[in-house]
Amino acid sequence: MREILFRGKRKDDGKWIDGDLIQSQDKDIAFIHPKANAFTTKESIFVYGLFVKVLPDCIGQFTGLSDKNSNKIFDGDIVKVWYDNKSVNGVIEYHEENSCCLIYVKQYNRRLQPFSHPEMEVVGNMYDNPELLEVED
């Protein structure tokens, strides 16, 4: 079974945190509860610690994939891939209609399957490093 994990940027200090997502119905308020602060028994799940308020626009779900350096890949990550025999950067996007994550490469206006690129490497994310997606002339 695929690990269900979310990542968000903390509202208080801008650092990234991952864990379980709790979001308001209109999605304007979101919290992440670190999985390290929970444990289970046969009958119950016990949760302790604080829920951390995160910026709703920066939430990304874990794709279930890792890059060549074993870094988890989340929706919104920028990955370096090989396309047309050269290295390019693309952003991971989740598409609900197909229930899958794809790499969008702006330079080629193309979407590629992430699992078809075993040499992909996370180089940043679209929130902290948008300049990595700029197309060179």
mmCIF file of all heavy atoms in Angstrom, residues 7-46:
data_model
loop_
_atom_site.group_PDB
_atom_site.id
_atom_site.type_symbol
_atom_site.label_atom_id
_atom_site.label_comp_id
_atom_site.label_asym_id
_atom_site.label_seq_id
_atom_site.Cartn_x
_atom_site.Cartn_y
_atom_site.Cartn_z
ATOM 1 N N ARG A 7 2.942 17.342 2.609
ATOM 2 C CA ARG A 7 3.969 18.292 3.014
ATOM 3 C C ARG A 7 3.364 19.688 2.902
ATOM 4 O O ARG A 7 2.583 19.967 1.994
ATOM 5 C CB ARG A 7 5.168 18.165 2.079
ATOM 6 C CG ARG A 7 6.242 19.201 2.317
ATOM 7 C CD ARG A 7 7.378 19.055 1.359
ATOM 8 N NE ARG A 7 6.963 19.478 0.024
ATOM 9 C CZ ARG A 7 7.706 19.384 -1.050
ATOM 10 N NH1 ARG A 7 8.899 18.848 -0.982
ATOM 11 N NH2 ARG A 7 7.274 19.802 -2.213
ATOM 12 N N GLY A 8 3.737 20.553 3.825
ATOM 13 C CA GLY A 8 3.267 21.931 3.777
ATOM 14 C C GLY A 8 4.306 22.865 4.361
ATOM 15 O O GLY A 8 5.177 22.456 5.133
ATOM 16 N N LYS A 9 4.194 24.127 3.989
ATOM 17 C CA LYS A 9 5.107 25.157 4.482
ATOM 18 C C LYS A 9 4.475 25.799 5.706
ATOM 19 O O LYS A 9 3.355 26.315 5.634
ATOM 20 C CB LYS A 9 5.341 26.183 3.373
ATOM 21 C CG LYS A 9 6.533 27.036 3.574
ATOM 22 C CD LYS A 9 6.837 27.810 2.305
ATOM 23 C CE LYS A 9 8.158 28.504 2.433
ATOM 24 N NZ LYS A 9 8.562 29.154 1.216
ATOM 25 N N ARG A 10 5.184 25.742 6.820
ATOM 26 C CA ARG A 10 4.665 26.291 8.074
ATOM 27 C C ARG A 10 4.347 27.769 7.920
ATOM 28 O O ARG A 10 5.099 28.510 7.305
ATOM 29 C CB ARG A 10 5.688 26.114 9.190
ATOM 30 C CG ARG A 10 5.961 24.683 9.564
ATOM 31 C CD ARG A 10 7.081 24.619 10.579
ATOM 32 N NE ARG A 10 6.691 25.309 11.794
ATOM 33 C CZ ARG A 10 6.617 24.737 12.992
ATOM 34 N NH1 ARG A 10 6.929 23.478 13.147
ATOM 35 N NH2 ARG A 10 6.255 25.426 14.038
ATOM 36 N N LYS A 11 3.213 28.169 8.493
ATOM 37 C CA LYS A 11 2.808 29.570 8.426
ATOM 38 C C LYS A 11 3.650 30.439 9.357
ATOM 39 O O LYS A 11 3.900 31.597 9.056
ATOM 40 C CB LYS A 11 1.326 29.687 8.780
ATOM 41 C CG LYS A 11 0.674 30.899 8.225
ATOM 42 C CD LYS A 11 -0.828 30.806 8.280
ATOM 43 C CE LYS A 11 -1.401 31.932 7.462
ATOM 44 N NZ LYS A 11 -2.808 31.812 7.268
ATOM 45 N N ASP A 12 4.138 29.872 10.448
ATOM 46 C CA ASP A 12 4.867 30.672 11.437
ATOM 47 C C ASP A 12 6.322 30.947 11.057
ATOM 48 O O ASP A 12 6.815 32.044 11.253
ATOM 49 C CB ASP A 12 4.790 30.030 12.831
ATOM 50 C CG ASP A 12 5.344 28.613 12.877
ATOM 51 O OD1 ASP A 12 5.746 28.067 11.824
ATOM 52 O OD2 ASP A 12 5.372 28.038 13.985
ATOM 53 N N ASP A 13 7.025 29.958 10.474
ATOM 54 C CA ASP A 13 8.447 30.187 10.201
ATOM 55 C C ASP A 13 8.881 29.836 8.769
ATOM 56 O O ASP A 13 10.062 29.954 8.437
ATOM 57 C CB ASP A 13 9.318 29.441 11.214
ATOM 58 C CG ASP A 13 9.189 27.932 11.137
ATOM 59 O OD1 ASP A 13 8.547 27.414 10.195
ATOM 60 O OD2 ASP A 13 9.730 27.251 12.030
ATOM 61 N N GLY A 14 7.939 29.384 7.937
ATOM 62 C CA GLY A 14 8.255 29.105 6.537
ATOM 63 C C GLY A 14 9.016 27.818 6.297
ATOM 64 O O GLY A 14 9.398 27.522 5.163
ATOM 65 N N LYS A 15 9.240 27.004 7.326
ATOM 66 C CA LYS A 15 9.930 25.724 7.154
ATOM 67 C C LYS A 15 8.935 24.671 6.684
ATOM 68 O O LYS A 15 7.739 24.755 6.941
ATOM 69 C CB LYS A 15 10.589 25.286 8.461
ATOM 70 C CG LYS A 15 11.724 26.188 8.873
ATOM 71 C CD LYS A 15 12.377 25.699 10.139
ATOM 72 C CE LYS A 15 13.509 26.652 10.539
ATOM 73 N NZ LYS A 15 14.095 26.287 11.810
ATOM 74 N N TRP A 16 9.463 23.658 6.004
ATOM 75 C CA TRP A 16 8.622 22.573 5.494
ATOM 76 C C TRP A 16 8.425 21.504 6.555
ATOM 77 O O TRP A 16 9.332 21.208 7.334
ATOM 78 C CB TRP A 16 9.254 21.958 4.251
ATOM 79 C CG TRP A 16 9.193 22.885 3.088
ATOM 80 C CD1 TRP A 16 10.159 23.756 2.674
ATOM 81 C CD2 TRP A 16 8.093 23.064 2.198
ATOM 82 N NE1 TRP A 16 9.731 24.469 1.579
ATOM 83 C CE2 TRP A 16 8.460 24.057 1.266
ATOM 84 C CE3 TRP A 16 6.830 22.494 2.085
ATOM 85 C CZ2 TRP A 16 7.617 24.489 0.245
ATOM 86 C CZ3 TRP A 16 5.991 22.916 1.080
ATOM 87 C CH2 TRP A 16 6.380 23.900 0.168
ATOM 88 N N ILE A 17 7.225 20.937 6.587
ATOM 89 C CA ILE A 17 6.871 19.881 7.530
ATOM 90 C C ILE A 17 6.030 18.860 6.780
ATOM 91 O O ILE A 17 5.276 19.211 5.871
ATOM 92 C CB ILE A 17 6.107 20.469 8.747
ATOM 93 C CG1 ILE A 17 5.815 19.398 9.794
ATOM 94 C CG2 ILE A 17 4.846 21.193 8.323
ATOM 95 C CD1 ILE A 17 5.275 19.961 11.102
ATOM 96 N N ASP A 18 6.171 17.595 7.131
ATOM 97 C CA ASP A 18 5.302 16.597 6.506
ATOM 98 C C ASP A 18 4.606 15.758 7.562
ATOM 99 O O ASP A 18 5.036 15.685 8.704
ATOM 100 C CB ASP A 18 6.057 15.733 5.488
ATOM 101 C CG ASP A 18 7.228 14.982 6.066
ATOM 102 O OD1 ASP A 18 7.083 14.365 7.121
ATOM 103 O OD2 ASP A 18 8.303 15.005 5.444
ATOM 104 N N GLY A 19 3.475 15.186 7.161
ATOM 105 C CA GLY A 19 2.668 14.378 8.060
ATOM 106 C C GLY A 19 1.262 14.232 7.511
ATOM 107 O O GLY A 19 1.053 14.191 6.300
ATOM 108 N N ASP A 20 0.296 14.171 8.409
ATOM 109 C CA ASP A 20 -1.113 14.027 8.030
ATOM 110 C C ASP A 20 -1.732 15.404 7.841
ATOM 111 O O ASP A 20 -1.484 16.320 8.624
ATOM 112 C CB ASP A 20 -1.886 13.262 9.112
ATOM 113 C CG ASP A 20 -1.418 11.821 9.236
ATOM 114 O OD1 ASP A 20 -1.217 11.186 8.194
ATOM 115 O OD2 ASP A 20 -1.236 11.360 10.373
ATOM 116 N N LEU A 21 -2.573 15.550 6.822
ATOM 117 C CA LEU A 21 -3.204 16.824 6.498
ATOM 118 C C LEU A 21 -4.604 16.902 7.074
ATOM 119 O O LEU A 21 -5.381 15.957 6.971
ATOM 120 C CB LEU A 21 -3.282 16.994 4.970
ATOM 121 C CG LEU A 21 -4.019 18.227 4.454
ATOM 122 C CD1 LEU A 21 -3.257 19.495 4.827
ATOM 123 C CD2 LEU A 21 -4.197 18.135 2.949
ATOM 124 N N ILE A 22 -4.895 18.045 7.678
ATOM 125 C CA ILE A 22 -6.254 18.366 8.113
ATOM 126 C C ILE A 22 -6.561 19.715 7.480
ATOM 127 O O ILE A 22 -5.824 20.682 7.656
ATOM 128 C CB ILE A 22 -6.364 18.448 9.642
ATOM 129 C CG1 ILE A 22 -6.001 17.089 10.258
ATOM 130 C CG2 ILE A 22 -7.752 18.900 10.063
ATOM 131 C CD1 ILE A 22 -5.877 17.110 11.741
ATOM 132 N N GLN A 23 -7.674 19.781 6.733
ATOM 133 C CA GLN A 23 -7.977 20.978 5.959
ATOM 134 C C GLN A 23 -9.452 21.331 6.121
ATOM 135 O O GLN A 23 -10.305 20.452 6.192
ATOM 136 C CB GLN A 23 -7.661 20.694 4.485
ATOM 137 C CG GLN A 23 -7.420 21.894 3.646
ATOM 138 C CD GLN A 23 -6.806 21.497 2.302
ATOM 139 O OE1 GLN A 23 -6.977 20.402 1.815
ATOM 140 N NE2 GLN A 23 -6.115 22.421 1.690
ATOM 141 N N SER A 24 -9.749 22.637 6.165
ATOM 142 C CA SER A 24 -11.136 23.071 6.248
ATOM 143 C C SER A 24 -11.848 22.732 4.941
ATOM 144 O O SER A 24 -11.211 22.516 3.905
ATOM 145 C CB SER A 24 -11.218 24.573 6.532
ATOM 146 O OG SER A 24 -10.678 25.320 5.460
ATOM 147 N N GLN A 25 -13.164 22.699 4.995
ATOM 148 C CA GLN A 25 -13.952 22.312 3.828
ATOM 149 C C GLN A 25 -13.687 23.221 2.626
ATOM 150 O O GLN A 25 -13.596 22.762 1.501
ATOM 151 C CB GLN A 25 -15.440 22.313 4.168
ATOM 152 C CG GLN A 25 -16.287 21.702 3.076
ATOM 153 C CD GLN A 25 -17.722 21.488 3.543
ATOM 154 O OE1 GLN A 25 -18.091 21.819 4.657
ATOM 155 N NE2 GLN A 25 -18.528 20.929 2.674
ATOM 156 N N ASP A 26 -13.522 24.521 2.851
ATOM 157 C CA ASP A 26 -13.258 25.436 1.738
ATOM 158 C C ASP A 26 -11.760 25.569 1.446
ATOM 159 O O ASP A 26 -11.357 26.364 0.605
ATOM 160 C CB ASP A 26 -13.885 26.803 1.970
ATOM 161 C CG ASP A 26 -13.416 27.457 3.252
ATOM 162 O OD1 ASP A 26 -12.530 26.903 3.936
ATOM 163 O OD2 ASP A 26 -13.940 28.536 3.580
ATOM 164 N N LYS A 27 -10.942 24.774 2.152
ATOM 165 C CA LYS A 27 -9.500 24.655 1.921
ATOM 166 C C LYS A 27 -8.708 25.936 2.154
ATOM 167 O O LYS A 27 -7.620 26.094 1.637
ATOM 168 C CB LYS A 27 -9.226 24.089 0.528
ATOM 169 C CG LYS A 27 -9.827 22.718 0.355
ATOM 170 C CD LYS A 27 -9.484 22.114 -0.969
ATOM 171 C CE LYS A 27 -10.145 20.746 -1.019
ATOM 172 N NZ LYS A 27 -9.817 19.963 -2.122
ATOM 173 N N ASP A 28 -9.255 26.865 2.959
ATOM 174 C CA ASP A 28 -8.504 28.088 3.238
ATOM 175 C C ASP A 28 -7.719 28.011 4.547
ATOM 176 O O ASP A 28 -6.928 28.891 4.848
ATOM 177 C CB ASP A 28 -9.415 29.315 3.220
ATOM 178 C CG ASP A 28 -10.446 29.306 4.334
ATOM 179 O OD1 ASP A 28 -10.746 28.217 4.871
ATOM 180 O OD2 ASP A 28 -10.967 30.387 4.673
ATOM 181 N N ILE A 29 -7.926 26.962 5.322
ATOM 182 C CA ILE A 29 -7.179 26.735 6.549
ATOM 183 C C ILE A 29 -6.672 25.297 6.520
ATOM 184 O O ILE A 29 -7.428 24.375 6.203
ATOM 185 C CB ILE A 29 -8.048 26.949 7.802
ATOM 186 C CG1 ILE A 29 -8.604 28.375 7.826
ATOM 187 C CG2 ILE A 29 -7.268 26.653 9.067
ATOM 188 C CD1 ILE A 29 -9.631 28.612 8.911
ATOM 189 N N ALA A 30 -5.379 25.103 6.827
ATOM 190 C CA ALA A 30 -4.808 23.758 6.784
ATOM 191 C C ALA A 30 -3.798 23.572 7.909
ATOM 192 O O ALA A 30 -3.099 24.502 8.293
ATOM 193 C CB ALA A 30 -4.142 23.521 5.432
ATOM 194 N N PHE A 31 -3.754 22.345 8.409
ATOM 195 C CA PHE A 31 -2.810 21.951 9.444
ATOM 196 C C PHE A 31 -2.151 20.647 9.030
ATOM 197 O O PHE A 31 -2.769 19.811 8.362
ATOM 198 C CB PHE A 31 -3.529 21.720 10.785
ATOM 199 C CG PHE A 31 -4.159 22.944 11.357
ATOM 200 C CD1 PHE A 31 -5.462 23.287 11.027
ATOM 201 C CD2 PHE A 31 -3.468 23.747 12.239
ATOM 202 C CE1 PHE A 31 -6.060 24.413 11.561
ATOM 203 C CE2 PHE A 31 -4.058 24.888 12.774
ATOM 204 C CZ PHE A 31 -5.358 25.217 12.433
ATOM 205 N N ILE A 32 -0.910 20.475 9.448
ATOM 206 C CA ILE A 32 -0.236 19.190 9.272
ATOM 207 C C ILE A 32 0.148 18.691 10.651
ATOM 208 O O ILE A 32 0.656 19.451 11.479
ATOM 209 C CB ILE A 32 0.992 19.306 8.345
ATOM 210 C CG1 ILE A 32 0.493 19.601 6.941
ATOM 211 C CG2 ILE A 32 1.874 18.074 8.440
ATOM 212 C CD1 ILE A 32 1.284 19.135 5.796
ATOM 213 N N HIS A 33 -0.140 17.428 10.879
ATOM 214 C CA HIS A 33 0.236 16.782 12.127
ATOM 215 C C HIS A 33 1.360 15.807 11.816
ATOM 216 O O HIS A 33 1.169 14.865 11.053
ATOM 217 C CB HIS A 33 -0.959 16.034 12.729
ATOM 218 C CG HIS A 33 -0.633 15.444 14.057
ATOM 219 N ND1 HIS A 33 -0.116 14.181 14.186
ATOM 220 C CD2 HIS A 33 -0.700 15.966 15.305
ATOM 221 C CE1 HIS A 33 0.094 13.933 15.470
ATOM 222 N NE2 HIS A 33 -0.254 15.004 16.159
ATOM 223 N N PRO A 34 2.546 16.030 12.357
ATOM 224 C CA PRO A 34 3.675 15.134 12.069
ATOM 225 C C PRO A 34 3.373 13.691 12.477
ATOM 226 O O PRO A 34 2.883 13.454 13.575
ATOM 227 C CB PRO A 34 4.816 15.707 12.904
ATOM 228 C CG PRO A 34 4.408 17.101 13.216
ATOM 229 C CD PRO A 34 2.912 17.101 13.257
ATOM 230 N N LYS A 35 3.631 12.757 11.578
ATOM 231 C CA LYS A 35 3.376 11.341 11.871
ATOM 232 C C LYS A 35 4.202 10.848 13.050
ATOM 233 O O LYS A 35 3.829 9.894 13.717
ATOM 234 C CB LYS A 35 3.667 10.483 10.642
ATOM 235 C CG LYS A 35 2.606 10.594 9.584
ATOM 236 C CD LYS A 35 2.883 9.600 8.464
ATOM 237 C CE LYS A 35 1.831 9.671 7.396
ATOM 238 N NZ LYS A 35 0.613 8.988 7.716
ATOM 239 N N ALA A 36 5.317 11.491 13.313
ATOM 240 C CA ALA A 36 6.154 11.089 14.447
ATOM 241 C C ALA A 36 5.435 11.289 15.775
ATOM 242 O O ALA A 36 5.834 10.729 16.782
ATOM 243 C CB ALA A 36 7.455 11.879 14.440
ATOM 244 N N ASN A 37 4.368 12.076 15.774
ATOM 245 C CA ASN A 37 3.628 12.358 16.997
ATOM 246 C C ASN A 37 2.377 11.506 17.137
ATOM 247 O O ASN A 37 1.399 11.926 17.730
ATOM 248 C CB ASN A 37 3.243 13.841 17.052
ATOM 249 C CG ASN A 37 4.446 14.723 17.220
ATOM 250 O OD1 ASN A 37 5.511 14.249 17.557
ATOM 251 N ND2 ASN A 37 4.287 16.009 16.976
ATOM 252 N N ALA A 38 2.392 10.304 16.590
ATOM 253 C CA ALA A 38 1.243 9.410 16.718
ATOM 254 C C ALA A 38 1.746 7.977 16.877
ATOM 255 O O ALA A 38 2.808 7.616 16.388
ATOM 256 C CB ALA A 38 0.347 9.509 15.496
ATOM 257 N N PHE A 39 0.993 7.178 17.578
ATOM 258 C CA PHE A 39 1.302 5.754 17.648
ATOM 259 C C PHE A 39 -0.014 4.992 17.743
ATOM 260 O O PHE A 39 -1.053 5.544 18.098
ATOM 261 C CB PHE A 39 2.248 5.432 18.816
ATOM 262 C CG PHE A 39 1.674 5.700 20.180
ATOM 263 C CD1 PHE A 39 1.034 4.695 20.887
ATOM 264 C CD2 PHE A 39 1.791 6.955 20.758
ATOM 265 C CE1 PHE A 39 0.521 4.939 22.152
ATOM 266 C CE2 PHE A 39 1.283 7.209 22.029
ATOM 267 C CZ PHE A 39 0.649 6.193 22.726
ATOM 268 N N THR A 40 0.015 3.725 17.392
ATOM 269 C CA THR A 40 -1.212 2.931 17.350
ATOM 270 C C THR A 40 -1.112 1.725 18.276
ATOM 271 O O THR A 40 -0.033 1.230 18.573
ATOM 272 C CB THR A 40 -1.504 2.422 15.929
ATOM 273 O OG1 THR A 40 -0.416 1.607 15.510
ATOM 274 C CG2 THR A 40 -1.694 3.556 14.958
ATOM 275 N N THR A 41 -2.278 1.279 18.718
ATOM 276 C CA THR A 41 -2.417 -0.006 19.393
ATOM 277 C C THR A 41 -3.430 -0.779 18.568
ATOM 278 O O THR A 41 -3.909 -0.298 17.538
ATOM 279 C CB THR A 41 -2.928 0.170 20.837
ATOM 280 O OG1 THR A 41 -4.272 0.660 20.797
ATOM 281 C CG2 THR A 41 -2.046 1.127 21.629
ATOM 282 N N LYS A 42 -3.800 -1.959 19.020
ATOM 283 C CA LYS A 42 -4.787 -2.742 18.271
ATOM 284 C C LYS A 42 -6.152 -2.060 18.245
ATOM 285 O O LYS A 42 -6.919 -2.251 17.322
ATOM 286 C CB LYS A 42 -4.927 -4.144 18.868
ATOM 287 C CG LYS A 42 -3.737 -5.019 18.603
ATOM 288 C CD LYS A 42 -3.958 -6.415 19.143
ATOM 289 C CE LYS A 42 -2.747 -7.265 18.833
ATOM 290 N NZ LYS A 42 -2.896 -8.605 19.342
ATOM 291 N N GLU A 43 -6.451 -1.248 19.232
ATOM 292 C CA GLU A 43 -7.770 -0.635 19.344
ATOM 293 C C GLU A 43 -7.824 0.838 18.964
ATOM 294 O O GLU A 43 -8.879 1.346 18.610
ATOM 295 C CB GLU A 43 -8.314 -0.772 20.778
ATOM 296 C CG GLU A 43 -8.599 -2.181 21.223
ATOM 297 C CD GLU A 43 -7.355 -2.902 21.729
ATOM 298 O OE1 GLU A 43 -6.446 -2.229 22.234
ATOM 299 O OE2 GLU A 43 -7.302 -4.124 21.604
ATOM 300 N N SER A 44 -6.718 1.545 19.053
ATOM 301 C CA SER A 44 -6.798 2.999 18.936
ATOM 302 C C SER A 44 -5.570 3.592 18.264
ATOM 303 O O SER A 44 -4.528 2.965 18.176
ATOM 304 C CB SER A 44 -6.898 3.637 20.322
ATOM 305 O OG SER A 44 -7.983 3.112 21.047
ATOM 306 N N ILE A 45 -5.747 4.835 17.840
ATOM 307 C CA ILE A 45 -4.628 5.659 17.399
ATOM 308 C C ILE A 45 -4.501 6.790 18.417
ATOM 309 O O ILE A 45 -5.479 7.474 18.719
ATOM 310 C CB ILE A 45 -4.871 6.256 15.999
ATOM 311 C CG1 ILE A 45 -4.974 5.148 14.961
ATOM 312 C CG2 ILE A 45 -3.771 7.244 15.635
ATOM 313 C CD1 ILE A 45 -5.311 5.650 13.570
ATOM 314 N N PHE A 46 -3.319 6.948 18.964
ATOM 315 C CA PHE A 46 -3.074 8.012 19.929
ATOM 316 C C PHE A 46 -2.264 9.108 19.248
ATOM 317 O O PHE A 46 -1.255 8.838 18.606
ATOM 318 C CB PHE A 46 -2.300 7.485 21.140
ATOM 319 C CG PHE A 46 -3.101 6.516 21.952
ATOM 320 C CD1 PHE A 46 -3.019 5.158 21.703
ATOM 321 C CD2 PHE A 46 -3.954 6.970 22.941
ATOM 322 C CE1 PHE A 46 -3.767 4.258 22.451
ATOM 323 C CE2 PHE A 46 -4.704 6.080 23.682
ATOM 324 C CZ PHE A 46 -4.612 4.719 23.436
#
